[in-house]
Structures are given as C-alpha cells and as structure tokens.
Amino acid sequence: MNNLLQRGQSIFNKYVGFFFLTVFFLWIKTYIVQLTQFDLGIENSLQKFLLFINPLGSALLFLGVAFFFKGRKKYIGLIVLDLLLSILLYANVLFYRFFSDFITLPTLTQTQNFGDVSSSVTSLLKPYDILFFLDVIVLVALLVFRFVKIDANDMNRGKVAALFSMALAISSANLALAETDRPQLLTRGFDRNYIVKYLGMYNYTIYDAVQSTKASAQRVMASSDDITEVVNYTKSNYAEPNPAYFGAGKGMNVIYLHLESMQNFLINYKLNGEEVTPFLNSLTKDQNTLYFDNFFHQTGQGKTSDAEFMLENSLYGLSQGSAYTTKGLNTYEAAPAILGQQGYTSAVFHGNSGSFWNRNEIYKSLGFNKFFDSNYYQINSADLAEYGLMDKPFYEQSIPLLESLPEPFYTKFITVSNHYPYPINEEDATIAPGTTGDKSVDGYFQTARYADEALKQFFDYLKKSGLYDRSIIVLYGDHYGISENHNKAMAQVMGKEITPFENTGLQRVPLFIRVPGMEGGVNHEYGGQIDLLPTLLHLLGTDTKEYVQFGTDLLSKQHDDVVPFRNGDFVSSTITAIDGKFYDSKTGLKLDEAKNEEAKKDQKIVEYKLKLSDKVVNGDLLRFYKPENFTPVDRSQYNYNYDEKVVSK
C-alpha cells in the first residue's frame, strides 16, 4: 500500500501528472454541474455519453495553455486557469437559476444593470456552492502543504503539440457525434440549451464568442440591398385591418400598462378559495375590453427590455443579449415616432434609474419625447422594491406627470413590484402566501395581488379624471414570473405535472385591450408581443403596410397565429413545437407523421422570420429604408435631463 502511495505521489510530482489531475477534477466537476444544475433535456444514451465526454476536450484545451508558462509559473498558470473556468461555470449556474438560460457576451455588456440586480443574487446562493471551487482548494492545498513537489522542467514542444491535438480530436469527435443526433447543430443555434447539452459549457463559450463577433460585424458589412428581402417578406405577410376595428380608437390617448412578471394562469386563479387578481379578473368581463387568453411572451435574454422592444417595433429581440443595450443607436420605425408625426406626445414612466436596460439612450432612437425615470419620483426606503419604486406610490406619483402632457399622448407605465424573488412587507400583503414550500412561488401570489390592487387604484383615477373615456388602455405581461426551475412547486399550483408541453402553455401572459365604445369579450386568437404594434396602429386608424413589422394585427382575419419563440420553438392554435418535437396544441399529444410535415414547414418559416429580424437589428437595416410619410428619428432632438418645471406644476 505504501509503495502504491509513493508511486502515486511520484506521478503527481511530475508537472504532467499534476496537470492531468487538474484536468480530471475539472472534467468530472463540469459533468456533475451540467447534469445536476441545468435542465438540458437528456433523452437518450448518446446524449448521456456526450454530456459526460464534452468537458474533457475543453478541459485539456483550455488548461493546456498553462504549458506555455515556464518553470514554476506553469503551476500558478494552471491553477489560475482552473479558477477562471470554475468562475465561468459558477456564474452560468447563478445566471441559470435566475433566467433558465446561459450567459452570452452581450449580456456581459449590460453592466449598467448589475447594481440594480445585485440584491437578487443572494436569493440564488446555495449552501453547497463552495463545492464548485473544491478542486481549486484541493490543488492549492497540495502545493502549499508540499504533498506535491514542484517540477520546474518544461515539456518539449512535440509533446505539447500532441496534447493539443488530442484535445482537438476529442472535441471534433464530440461535435461529429452531436451532429448525428442533432443535424445542423451550429447553424440552427437559436437554442443555447442544445449547444451546452451537446458540446459542453466551455465549447458553448467559444461558440457564443464567434456568434457575437459575427453579429457585431453585420452592421459594417450591411448595404441597402439587404433590406429588399426583408421588405418583400413583411409586405407579402401583411395582414389587412379588420373593418370592424380599424380606427375604433382614432385620435384617442394610448396608455400601456406593463405588468411585470405577470403570467396568465393567475387570471381567475384562486388560492385557498380567494382570487389572486380580482381586478384583472373583472376586466375579462368589461364590455369595452378585449381579453386575449392565448397571448404569449416571446422574450429572450433581454426579458423586460425584449418585451418593450417588440411592443414598440414589431421586431424580435436578439438571440443573444438585449437589443436595448447593444443596439440602442440603431435606426427604428417605432410607435412613438410614428404617432409623434401624427401629433402625439410620447412618454415613459418608470420608478427606476434611467440607465437600467439603457433606456435613457434607446428611447431617443425610438422617438419618445419624455422619459420620467426615478429622478422624477420621491423614493424612500419604505416604498422601494427590488428594482425601483413600488407600484402603488409609483402610480400615485405618476399622475401629476401624466397631467403635464398635452393630449393626445402615447404613454407607457413600467411597474416593478411583482418581480423575482417576490419579496413583500407584511403590511403590504393582503393575501396569504402559497404553500408549496418554494419561497419564490409562494411569494409570487402576494406580489401579484399587490400589483393588482395598484392597478385598480390607477384605474379609479383614470375614471375620475375622464381619461378612461378617451384613452385606449393596453395591459400586457412582459415575461414569465416563475421559471421552469420551479416546476416542482408549479405542479402543486397547477394540480398536474409540468411537462415541456405544459411549460410552454405557462408562457401565456395577460393581454387586455380596452377601447371606449368597442365591443369587448374574450378573444381566443393565438398571438404574441410581436403582434401588438400593428394591432394598436390599426385601432388608431394607421395602416401598417409600408412599415417593416414582423407581427400581424391580432384582430385581422389574415392574422398569422404561429407564435415564434426566441429559441426557435413555436406555438399556434393547432401545433406546439418544442425541442424539435411537435404536439397537438389542444390535446398535448404528439402529432402523427402527416401533421409532422406541416409542422416542419412552420418550423422553417419561424426560423426564417427570426433570421430576417436579426438581420434588420444586427445590420441596422432600417437606416436604408424610409416608409412613405415617415421621417427618421433625429436623436439629437431628445433630452431626458431632469426638468424641475414638470414636477412643480
């Protein structure tokens, strides 16, 4: 036994032995993390094998860089590299716990948001998280306590080259096997889950860097010829307005109410026999309100900012990062600019920092006249939520700001109280929490109730002031509130297992459109956030045919009810596509072969549509196209500096 230990120690006294020990630790750790911390949807033996093997090639490749250091420095280099890769892995775990997604390079550019979200990070930490760095601690201890002696000899170049060749061979074999199970893996890269599942976390990072670089280069390479294909597509897929609704709200004010993290399952949901959102429930019965019960959020990594981006432009959010932060200086044909040229004054109200999601810059490109950020609100600690001013004081303090605007106006109120991790003070909670044992899910009902009560108070003001009778009011959910990481608790809430099909259904968010004098009711049409702009413009009597918009009017008889998601999946009234599998949208059963062919055609259209939209945004193609009677926005005409005169009125 002693001889065996001595032989083992002698192996690790050689640098190459210590190197392979480090590789082994990182390999196994990464495999365990990918298996236990991410929901990657492993379905067969090949995928299980690939998940096990994919960290090995990456570990050899990245850690192999340490061989370029000389003498003792290669030990320090090796441990530093291992630490950096461990930090990358752990950062993705934290990001995934919050967003059910992986970090991309564009998300790292959203540094202005970090201070605002830092308070949520502590809720993501787990007691066992120190284990993510256990291998680094062990390796340092082996050196510090001299269980391993330093080997200052350097490996010759031939052996180093052989090592890198082995790493590349493993990674190449990994990719070849992955392609057999998932053809066109790298070319159809809308879903990051696939890349991590088949190629591993570290190869995904390389892939992401390449994709981000390509996207950044698109603007430089773009020309006026590139917009032609886009314009042809959007014009050929234009949906004519429904005569029964076209111009129903002509000349009226527009009030958008942004329902943070509000999912549609809350509508008419009872917790322990008590309605969670009684006011929103009452709107489903309002005679002038259309309630869409098959309306889906389509956000990606930009979450709230993606919802806004689609709302204002009818362009999809980006596959990586947020267009709000990375494409803020682009040319757009957005709602505030279109309506501004028809005499509307536009404004956004938000009780948080103007720099969050880069709003104080991109709003200029969209053509918003006013942006009332946290500078315009009296914020004390008692009224502060995780991401700004709580909804009740926010609406209350917004009233004089709203009254400072000339009519007609186009406005948007962005609320924050109903936001993960859903904390609420005891005195603000008017409904008991859920009983699933999941703190976020249980608190979600309480913050949703608070948001619902705040809405009722604001509606009371709108009625009293008369704005209720001369305004189109649109309420929309921006994205999911409860991620799939909480599906076990959600199974208790919904009373059934949350399968991938059921989880897709949970991506429904509320949409209410109230137009004075218009006949209301429940509308079962399938649609998404991409469809809001053409719907609103048609209600206002503005035809959208000349504009580049990827959505279609929800009220049009020609409305396209296929709702693409940012990862390439989609849902419609007949087909739900998830991870390459197709289901009947009514029954949840898998489709037969005949209907599969129809679904595959829809899949290609969805991918093409997302690709075209990305070309527009990444290439800034709207600078090459001007619709008839539209004047491009001049950013220099907009200034959101604090105006004391507005507050003093």
Side-chain angles (χ1 to χ4, degrees):
M1 185 68 176
N2 286 337
N3 288 338
L4 189 62
L5 288 172
Q6 287 174 357
R7 287 175 63 185
Q9 189 173 15
S10 66
I11 291 172
F12 297 122
N13 282 337
K14 302 279 189 183
Y15 176 74
V16 69
F18 189 74
F19 169 79
F20 279 111
L21 177 65
T22 308
V23 168
F24 177 77
F25 281 163
L26 183 62
W27 172 22
I28 298 304
K29 176 178 73 175
T30 305
Y31 166 67
I32 293 171
V33 168
Q34 292 179 171
L35 183 66
T36 62
Q37 301 299 306
F38 307 136
D39 183 12
L40 299 176
I42 305 299
E43 298 173 338
N44 56 45
S45 299
L46 178 58
Q47 291 179 11
K48 289 177 183 176
F49 174 73
L50 289 172
L51 190 73
F52 175 69
I53 204 68
N54 62 42
L56 177 57
S58 306
L60 285 167
L61 188 65
F62 286 110
L63 294 178
V65 173
F67 279 106
F68 293 104
F69 292 91
K70 300 295 183 183
R72 297 171 179 269
K73 290 182 181 178
K74 58 181 175 281
Y75 283 89
I76 298 173
L78 182 63
I79 290 176
V80 168
L81 287 168
D82 188 34
L83 176 61
L84 291 174
L85 291 169
S86 299
I87 291 172
L88 173 65
L89 186 65
Y90 182 54
N92 272 282
V93 169
L94 290 180
F95 194 83
Y96 194 88
R97 287 174 184 170
F98 196 107
F99 295 110
S100 295
D101 203 351
F102 302 98
I103 294 172
T104 62
L105 282 181
T107 61
L108 296 178
T109 66
Q110 294 158 200
T111 53
Q112 71 269 40
N113 292 358
F114 289 173
D116 297 84
V117 303
S118 58
S119 57
S120 296
V121 173
T122 53
S123 66
L124 304 174
L125 303 178
K126 308 287 185 186
Y128 59 77
D129 284 359
I130 188 65
L131 297 177
F132 287 97
F133 302 95
L134 182 61
D135 59 325
V136 179
I137 296 170
V138 170
L139 292 170
V140 171
L142 288 174
L143 293 175
V144 169
F145 295 105
R146 299 186 179 180
F147 289 111
V148 170
K149 293 179 181 177
I150 299 293
D151 174 18
N153 296 321
D154 297 325
M155 185 182 287
N156 66 57
R157 292 181 180 179
K159 290 182 179 179
V160 173
L163 174 75
F164 279 103
S165 297
M166 180 171 68
L168 292 172
I170 293 171
S171 295
S172 298
N174 181 175
L175 177 58
L177 284 171
E179 285 280 353
T180 63
D181 195 61
R182 181 71 182 180
Q184 298 176 297
L185 174 65
L186 298 182
T187 55
R188 296 172 62 193
F190 290 121
D191 196 336
R192 284 171 286 279
N193 237 40
Y194 294 155
I195 307 297
V196 176
K197 175 166 70 173
Y198 287 108
L199 302 183
M201 177 56 63
Y202 308 117
N203 285 331
Y204 156 74
T205 303
I206 297 173
Y207 169 83
D208 170 60
V210 171
Q211 293 299 105
S212 298
T213 303
K214 284 170 61 179
S216 298
Q218 280 187 40
R219 191 183 192 282
V220 178
M221 305 299 292
S223 71
S224 57
D225 295 335
D226 296 318
I227 194 66
T228 304
E229 180 185 10
V230 176
V231 172
N232 289 341
Y233 177 82
T234 55
K235 283 192 174 183
S236 64
N237 287 274
Y238 160 78
E240 292 182 358
N242 187 329
Y245 294 100
F246 187 70
K250 190 173 181 62
M252 292 185 183
N253 302 308
V254 177
I255 300 174
Y256 266 117
L257 299 175
H258 179 107
L259 309 180
E260 171 64 42
S261 302
M262 193 74 73
Q263 287 177 242
N264 198 60
F265 80 86
L266 288 171
I267 305 302
N268 293 320
Y269 183 86
K270 290 185 178 181
L271 181 66
N272 300 320
E274 188 176 356
E275 289 181 302
V276 178
T277 56
F279 177 69
L280 287 176
N281 296 350
S282 71
L283 292 181
T284 65
K285 306 175 186 69
D286 182 85
Q287 63 179 359
N288 298 132
T289 300
L290 285 169
Y291 163 56
F292 293 81
D293 60 356
N294 286 312
F295 183 76
F296 292 79
H297 84 86
Q298 297 168 282
T299 64
Q301 287 192 321
K303 293 296 184 288
T304 293
S305 70
D306 278 1
E308 283 195 73
F309 189 72
M310 285 183 277
L311 177 85
E312 307 296 358
N313 298 289
S314 197
L315 296 170
Y316 292 98
L318 295 173
S319 61
Q320 297 169 290
S322 164
Y324 257 42
T325 57
T326 61
K327 308 298 177 184
L329 302 180
N330 275 16
T331 298
Y332 295 106
E333 302 162 4
I338 294 170
L339 295 177
Q341 292 169 34
Q342 298 177 20
Y344 277 74
T345 301
S346 55
V348 179
F349 303 78
H350 185 42
N352 196 0
S353 167
S355 62
F356 196 76
W357 286 123
N358 196 40
R359 288 186 173 104
N360 56 0
E361 288 300 329
I362 194 168
Y363 282 168
K364 296 175 185 176
S365 300
L366 300 181
F368 275 107
N369 301 118
K370 305 282 185 181
F371 178 26
F372 300 114
D373 65 1
S374 56
N375 289 316
Y376 288 86
Y377 295 86
Q378 296 294 320
I379 300 177
N380 59 60
S381 57
D383 293 333
L384 196 61
E386 294 270 325
Y387 296 86
L389 189 62
M390 293 180 68
D391 292 3
K392 290 180 181 179
F394 165 66
Y395 282 128
E396 184 180 349
Q397 293 186 42
S398 295
I399 289 171
L401 301 176
L402 178 63
E403 291 176 343
S404 73
L405 301 177
E407 298 185 45
F409 51 68
Y410 172 87
T411 57
K412 180 169 56 180
F413 294 79
I414 303 173
T415 61
V416 299
S417 290
N418 190 42
H419 197 296
Y420 180 89
Y422 311 109
I424 191 168
N425 296 325
E426 191 174 337
E427 60 269 23
D428 292 320
T430 58
I431 189 173
T435 56
T436 67
D438 184 314
K439 188 176 178 181
S440 294
V441 174
D442 294 343
Y444 182 60
F445 297 103
Q446 295 182 299
T447 54
R449 164 63 74 82
Y450 175 88
D452 185 74
E453 292 171 344
L455 278 170
K456 183 182 184 304
Q457 289 180 15
F458 189 57
F459 265 67
D460 288 343
Y461 156 73
L462 294 175
K463 292 174 182 177
K464 186 177 179 181
S465 68
L467 288 173
Y468 190 70
D469 297 320
R470 56 181 188 269
S471 302
I472 296 176
I473 304 173
V474 183
L475 303 91
Y476 70 99
D478 63 341
H479 54 74
Y480 64 76
I482 305 299
S483 75
E484 59 190 75
N485 295 325
H486 303 273
N487 276 353
K488 185 181 290 186
M490 283 302 295
Q492 297 180 52
V493 171
M494 304 305 294
K496 55 187 172 184
E497 181 187 358
I498 307 301
T499 61
F501 175 80
E502 293 294 340
N503 186 68
T504 299
L506 284 172
Q507 305 317 303
R508 288 178 174 89
V509 292
L511 174 64
F512 298 89
I513 300 177
R514 186 185 190 281
V515 183
M518 182 185 73
E519 184 179 350
V522 179
N523 188 306
H524 304 302
E525 190 73 29
Y526 274 63
Q529 291 159 334
I530 201 77
D531 301 315
L532 274 173
L533 178 57
T535 304
L536 175 70
L537 290 178
H538 285 176
L539 284 169
L540 290 169
T542 298
D543 202 318
T544 60
K545 189 170 187 178
E546 295 303 313
Y547 293 98
V548 172
Q549 297 177 357
F550 285 89
T552 56
D553 182 352
L554 289 163
L555 301 170
S556 169
K557 294 174 182 177
Q558 298 168 357
H559 168 65
D560 180 2
D561 78 348
V562 176
V563 184
F565 297 123
R566 187 56 263 195
N567 65 357
D569 291 345
F570 68 88
V571 65
S572 72
S573 57
T574 55
I575 300 168
T576 298
I578 310 166
D579 195 12
K581 300 180 182 65
F582 304 111
Y583 304 84
D584 184 299
S585 290
K586 297 293 187 289
T587 65
L589 299 175
K590 284 190 178 180
L591 299 182
D592 57 33
E593 275 306 310
K595 289 188 176 179
N596 260 359
E597 292 307 310
E598 177 190 344
K600 287 175 182 176
K601 290 179 183 177
D602 285 341
Q603 184 80 71
K604 288 181 179 178
I605 294 171
V606 162
E607 291 175 359
Y608 182 61
K609 191 183 290 190
L610 290 169
K611 180 182 175 183
L612 281 185
S613 179
D614 285 349
K615 280 181 66 175
V616 172
V617 180
N618 286 322
D620 191 12
L621 297 186
L622 293 181
R623 62 194 155 126
F624 302 122
Y625 176 74
K626 187 178 82 66
E628 189 177 348
N629 300 321
F630 178 78
T631 303
V633 171
D634 179 359
R635 284 176 47 85
S636 67
Q637 299 301 305
Y638 299 90
N639 185 339
Y640 301 140
N641 291 337
Y642 176 70
D643 186 352
E644 189 176 348
K645 294 178 183 177
V646 174
V647 179
S648 61
K649 283 185 179 180

